[in-house]
Amino acid sequence: MGNPTRAVVLSGGGARGAYEAGVLRYILEAVPEETGEPPQFDIVCGTSVGAINAAWLAATLNDPERAGERLWYLWRTLKFSEVVSVSWREITRLAAEFVGRADWLEAAAGEEEGGRRGGLLDTSYFQQLVRDEIPFHNIHRNLDRGVLKAATVSATDIVSGRTTVFAQTASGELPEWTRDPRRVAVGGPLTADKVLASASLPILFPVVRIGQRWFSDGGLRQNTPLTPALRLGADRVLVITLHAESQMPEPNPNPFDEPLPGPARHYPDYLFLMGKLLDALLLDPLDYDLMVLERINAMLRQAEKLFATDESAIEQLNELMRAYRGKGYRIVEPQVIRPSRDLGSMASTFASQVDSEFWGSRILDTLGSRAAESAGYGESDLLSYLLFDGGYTSQLLKLGYRDAKARHDSLIRFFTD
């Protein structure tokens, strides 16, 4: 049968992306120690902050040990006051629009933003980090050397709402993509602008112009880019998600009368609601997608048993599927690594332990303080996206490393069987 095609899929979630870096470092260190060879990632797919990690991985797979160490270092040394600041230019523009005087700001803003508009937060730090640290030219080299087969980042076209998958492949060509008009694929080299567009958290970060189109966070429609990995031919998929496994409460026959603990019994404040809104915008259908994948795998295994003496039967079934979806079905083995702790709760705890000087501005100090006060809800989703600080990201790095270590045996099988 030959070696399976392996893919890693990295989801979005702002500062939560440090968790992915922790998982990746363990894999990049542990697999060579066990097998004597670096892990083979044939396909690398990322969305939002996962696009930054994915581009880094695709560009540095030729030196996996350094790749893991450096990515860890970059996440660990972030300083909130340097990374996150209020975009007063955008706030001024919004105020001018409100009073009908935005016209005199348009020309200057267009020149200074250089293809970026909007966003309540200034993202200059991340723009520079992505441009300076990721050797994009090396993605082509890794593809040319056979270290990698394909790399993708997903963004959302603001006007059409379509998910656009920017894909760079070894052959320079793309397989037939989904027939769903809401999802398209565009070939060509991955660039800093494409990665920054994918990582542009809605409302908070500026949208990015690529060509004549404006793009925002890919997580709006595809927070965990499983589909690109499957379309590009993955037989095994390692998914690193940034949402802990949800624990559904026992059904209550009278849920409206069930009291909530502490401050959670009062009306949620606007910061809590903003966090939930961001969660809703970046809704992750991963668990549903995995159920569909397992269902298809079960059907194909059963078909193999039923038609063991007639190999053409499965091919005929796939011919039928190609007419509907442009591609046949095959068995794909998934493996998922997810946080063993709730990252929102960790953010809330961290925020309660820092002083007002940490936040760097009164607006951000208010955000952090209110989030810490809402600990009665047991989480702070908004802050978990924005806490780009080594104090918080170090915790996520270590958590990701530990969670991957706990899956050591299954990870080794993923890369060796």
Side-chain angles (χ1 to χ4, degrees), residues 77 169 189 239 305 314 364:
T77 56
T169 65
V239 180
K305 293 179 181 179
I314 294 180
L364 294 173

Side-chain angles (χ1 to χ4, degrees), residues 4 6-7 31 38-43 61 146-149 414-415:
R6 299 177 177 90
V31 173
Q40 181 65 43
F41 287 121
D42 300 295
I43 302 168
L61 269 176
V147 177
L148 184 69
K149 292 182 179 179
F414 180 88
F415 289 103

Side-chain angles (χ1 to χ4, degrees), residues 160-175:
S160 68
R162 290 187 302 185
T163 295
T164 301
V165 179
F166 297 108
Q168 186 173 355
T169 65
S171 66
E173 299 178 353
L174 294 177

Side-chain angles (χ1 to χ4, degrees), residues 145-225:
R145 295 167 183 164
V147 177
L148 184 69
K149 292 182 179 179
T152 76
V153 299
S154 302
T156 303
D157 185 318
I158 292 297
V159 174
S160 68
R162 290 187 302 185
T163 295
T164 301
V165 179
F166 297 108
Q168 186 173 355
T169 65
S171 66
E173 299 178 353
L174 294 177
E176 186 169 358
W177 217 249
T178 175
R179 303 288 174 83
D180 186 347
R182 297 169 299 177
R183 298 178 180 180
V184 297
V186 178
L190 296 188
T191 65
D193 281 342
K194 292 174 182 177
V195 170
L196 290 168
S198 179
S200 177
L201 284 170
I203 303 173
L204 299 175
F205 290 2
V207 297
V208 179
R209 184 175 61 203
I210 300 175
Q212 301 301 312
R213 313 290 291 187
W214 292 94
F215 292 89
S216 185
D217 199 297
L220 291 174
R221 287 292 183 89
Q222 193 179 78
N223 198 38
T224 301

Side-chain angles (χ1 to χ4, degrees), residues 133-155:
E133 286 290 340
I134 301 177
F136 285 95
H137 62 278
N138 211 40
I139 297 178
H140 175 75
R141 292 180 183 176
N142 286 337
L143 289 166
D144 196 44
R145 295 167 183 164
V147 177
L148 184 69
K149 292 182 179 179
T152 76
V153 299
S154 302

Side-chain angles (χ1 to χ4, degrees), residues 231-266:
R231 285 280 164 179
L232 288 165
D235 301 304
R236 296 183 184 179
V237 181
L238 174 63
V239 180
I240 306 176
T241 179
L242 302 177
H243 291 272
E245 190 167 8
S246 58
Q247 299 293 326
M248 297 300 293
E250 292 294 326
N252 189 322
N254 212 358
F256 303 110
D257 294 333
E258 183 178 3
L260 293 171
R265 64 173 60 114
H266 303 297

Side-chain angles (χ1 to χ4, degrees), residues 44-210:
V44 178
C45 302
T47 290
S48 192
V49 72
I52 297 176
N53 289 333
W56 171 265
L57 185 63
T60 58
L61 269 176
N62 57 299
D63 188 4
E65 184 175 354
R66 178 185 176 276
E69 289 181 359
R70 182 63 178 171
L71 187 61
W72 180 290
Y73 173 82
L74 292 172
W75 276 103
R76 182 178 61 81
T77 56
L78 293 175
K79 294 183 179 179
F80 185 84
S81 59
E82 296 177 358
V83 179
V84 181
S85 60
V86 176
S87 176
W88 294 110
R89 178 190 308 279
E90 180 60 18
I91 290 177
T92 302
R93 190 185 69 80
L94 289 174
E97 275 191 0
F98 184 75
V99 298
R101 294 299 306 275
D103 53 336
W104 61 274
L105 287 173
E106 288 297 318
E111 291 176 5
E112 293 189 27
E113 291 292 342
R116 286 165 183 75
R117 294 300 302 271
L120 298 178
L121 299 178
D122 186 338
T123 60
S124 300
Y125 182 95
F126 263 120
Q127 292 173 31
Q128 200 64 39
L129 182 71
V130 168
R131 294 184 186 282
D132 290 349
E133 286 290 340
I134 301 177
F136 285 95
H137 62 278
N138 211 40
I139 297 178
H140 175 75
R141 292 180 183 176
N142 286 337
L143 289 166
D144 196 44
R145 295 167 183 164
V147 177
L148 184 69
K149 292 182 179 179
T152 76
V153 299
S154 302
T156 303
D157 185 318
I158 292 297
V159 174
S160 68
R162 290 187 302 185
T163 295
T164 301
V165 179
F166 297 108
Q168 186 173 355
T169 65
S171 66
E173 299 178 353
L174 294 177
E176 186 169 358
W177 217 249
T178 175
R179 303 288 174 83
D180 186 347
R182 297 169 299 177
R183 298 178 180 180
V184 297
V186 178
L190 296 188
T191 65
D193 281 342
K194 292 174 182 177
V195 170
L196 290 168
S198 179
S200 177
L201 284 170
I203 303 173
L204 299 175
F205 290 2
V207 297
V208 179
R209 184 175 61 203
I210 300 175

